[in-house]
């Protein structure tokens, strides 16, 4: 009808700050929450897969997911990554290859240096978007 109504239907509840006795307990608490979060996102039909970018986030997700899948007998975790031709000069490629060598992972790579003319089209398409895809 051409009108808009703004209504709040949810509000996050403030919790008491977490106070533990040492750094190791904070690390263990984080690992527990992080592992549960990854586990909850592995409830899928068919094989699990993950984009592995070479950053800390995707590497952490991939390693925890691979461990969970392996413990369930549902591995390996398929990973998909864009890599460069020289791991020595690209930190991300080096990190991707390091995670790919760990157990429980079935890596798939696209070497961006071998994409030829398609590479130019991909870069142009990415530059034309207002936000990451």
């Amino acid at each position: 009808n051409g009108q808009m109504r703004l209504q709040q239907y949810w509000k996050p509840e403030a919790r008491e700050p977490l106070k533990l006795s040492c750094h190791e307990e904070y690390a263990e608490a984080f690992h527990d929450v992080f592992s549960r979060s990854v586990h909850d996102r592995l409830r899928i039909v068919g094989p699990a897969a993950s984009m592995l970018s070479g950053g800390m986030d995707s590497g952490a997700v991939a390693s925890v997911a691979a461990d969970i899948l392996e413990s369930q007998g549902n591995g390996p975790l398929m990973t998909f990554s864009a890599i460069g031709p020289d791991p020595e000069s690209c930190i991300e490629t080096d990190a991707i290859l390091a995670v790919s060598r760990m157990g429980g992972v079935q890596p798939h790579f696209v070497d961006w240096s071998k994409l030829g003319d398609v590479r130019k089209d991909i870069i142009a398409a990415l530059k034309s978007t207002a936000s990451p895809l």
Side-chain angles (χ1 to χ4, degrees), residues 42-118:
L42 287 173
R43 294 180 288 187
I44 59 170
V45 175
S50 178
M51 164 62 178
L52 180 58
S53 68
M56 288 176 46
D57 296 349
S58 67
V61 169
S63 65
V64 170
D67 287 346
I68 292 169
L69 291 170
E70 189 172 46
S71 73
Q72 297 172 340
N74 293 328
L77 173 71
M78 291 188 295
T79 60
F80 295 87
S81 305
I83 62 171
D86 182 20
E88 299 294 322
S89 65
C90 180
I91 318 173
E92 290 83 4
T93 297
D94 188 44
I96 288 166
L97 295 175
V99 172
S100 298
R101 286 189 291 269
M102 68 180 208
V105 175
Q106 181 182 7
H108 298 82
F109 304 116
V110 172
D111 185 338
W112 57 261
S113 69
K114 296 179 180 176
L115 293 177
D117 291 338
V118 174

Side-chain angles (χ1 to χ4, degrees), residues 20 23-33:
L20 302 174
H23 294 299
E24 289 78 16
E25 287 184 10
Y26 285 104
E28 186 177 323
F30 171 80
H31 185 268
D32 290 344
V33 170

